[in-house]
Amino acid sequence: MTVMRTTRAPWTGDAANSLAAGDTRTTRPHPGGPAGPGRVLWVLWPLGLALTGAHAGAGALATPLFVPLDAALIAVGVVLAAARLWDGPGRAPAAMACAVLLLGGAGYLANLVARVGVVLAGAAPAQARVETSAWEARSYLLGLPAEPSAVVLLLVWLDLLQLGYVVLTQVAVVLLAVSLGRHGWLDASIARVAAVGGSALAGVTVLAVGLAVSGGAFDVPGLERVSAPAAWTAYLLTVPFMSTLPAFLVGAGLLAPSRAPEAR
């Protein structure tokens, strides 16, 4: 005798209809459901979108407030989603997503703390004089003049940490999308787009950085003409907002329930 079983998810109302129709598919628990950390996930995605709109659109949220809030929201969302994914086929990419995000987040936290330290140490005027070159990838990736000051060296290091954070966050969201797709909690097409799009963003950014540094700072023959456009590309792609694009796509997919076939 064949037994058909349908597990009802708290956000769907078609379990009885599916059973009556002979549907043998099982609806997996959705990470945005009301149980456990899922309740927090359900709020984080639209909250992050609202904060971004307040910052970029209305200008109501200052950058010093938006940047750490944005980083914290992405970190909490990835960790909570990975916790829900721990038991199942997406365990490995979920664990890697947490590890990558921890690495990038640690560097970004050091970046934020050091920038506050510059202000507290009274070095804000010295920072303002050099930040257009030492704080912007379009300039320092091409190589700055020799004998930099301590402030210039510090700002370049801090901005490189931000660059690394943006790339690593995109990689973490790619891994999370893969994990969600394997679980059936994220539509396969959305998971594929998020994974490919996030990988492309991270790959193009790394390529742009490599071309800018090679042709500008290291004077590699044949790359001089592409170094300046590559530096501008890296500068635009490493704005902290760019780290949110794959995450918003995954969040939009999570808000729509998916059904995945399960072998019996």
Side-chain angles (χ1 to χ4, degrees), residues 134-151:
W135 211 350
E136 295 184 357
R138 60 179 178 173
S139 298
Y140 68 74
L141 288 179
L142 299 175
L144 297 177
E147 303 298 330
S149 67
V151 174

Side-chain angles (χ1 to χ4, degrees), residues 10 133 168:
S133 59
L168 290 174

Side-chain angles (χ1 to χ4, degrees), residues 105-132:
Y108 198 51
L109 178 61
N111 172 18
L112 294 176
V113 171
R115 290 189 181 188
V116 173
V118 169
V119 177
L120 295 179
Q127 171 184 295
R129 287 194 295 269
V130 298
E131 64 184 11
T132 55

Side-chain angles (χ1 to χ4, degrees), residues 7-31:
T7 303
R8 180 176 179 178
W11 63 95
T12 60
D14 60 347
N17 294 334
S18 298
L19 181 60
D23 191 349
T24 59
R25 296 178 299 175
T26 297
T27 304
R28 296 181 183 273
H30 195 277

Side-chain angles (χ1 to χ4, degrees), residues 7-262:
T7 303
R8 180 176 179 178
W11 63 95
T12 60
D14 60 347
N17 294 334
S18 298
L19 181 60
D23 191 349
T24 59
R25 296 178 299 175
T26 297
T27 304
R28 296 181 183 273
H30 195 277
R39 185 180 294 109
V40 182
L41 280 173
W42 188 258
V43 176
L44 282 181
W45 303 117
L47 177 60
L49 184 59
L51 289 175
T52 302
H55 170 68
L61 188 63
T63 299
L65 292 177
F66 169 73
V67 170
L69 285 175
D70 172 57
L73 277 174
I74 294 177
V76 172
V78 171
V79 171
L80 288 178
R84 294 294 300 273
L85 295 167
W86 192 248
D87 294 325
R91 175 183 296 183
M96 288 189 289
C98 287
V100 171
L101 189 66
L102 179 62
L103 178 62
Y108 198 51
L109 178 61
N111 172 18
L112 294 176
V113 171
R115 290 189 181 188
V116 173
V118 169
V119 177
L120 295 179
Q127 171 184 295
R129 287 194 295 269
V130 298
E131 64 184 11
T132 55
S133 59
W135 211 350
E136 295 184 357
R138 60 179 178 173
S139 298
Y140 68 74
L141 288 179
L142 299 175
L144 297 177
E147 303 298 330
S149 67
V151 174
V152 169
L153 184 60
L154 176 63
L155 292 182
V156 170
W157 270 101
L158 294 180
D159 207 68
L160 285 173
L161 289 176
Q162 175 177 298
L163 187 153
Y165 162 76
V166 172
V167 173
L168 290 174
T169 300
Q170 291 169 348
V171 172
V173 175
V174 166
L175 292 168
L176 182 62
V178 171
S179 181
L180 288 165
R182 289 183 182 179
H183 264 269
W185 287 345
L186 189 64
D187 183 80
S189 59
I190 297 178
R192 190 179 307 112
V193 170
V196 173
S199 299
L201 275 175
V204 170
T205 302
V206 172
L207 177 62
V209 171
L211 290 174
V213 172
S214 300
F218 295 113
D219 298 321
V220 175
L223 296 181
E224 300 90 347
R225 294 183 178 181
V226 300
S227 59
W232 265 99
T233 301
Y235 170 65
L236 295 175
L237 293 181
T238 53
V239 175
F241 172 77
M242 299 301 293
S243 66
T244 68
L245 297 182
F248 283 147
L249 179 58
V250 172
L254 288 175
L255 295 178
S258 62
R259 293 173 61 85
E262 186 172 291

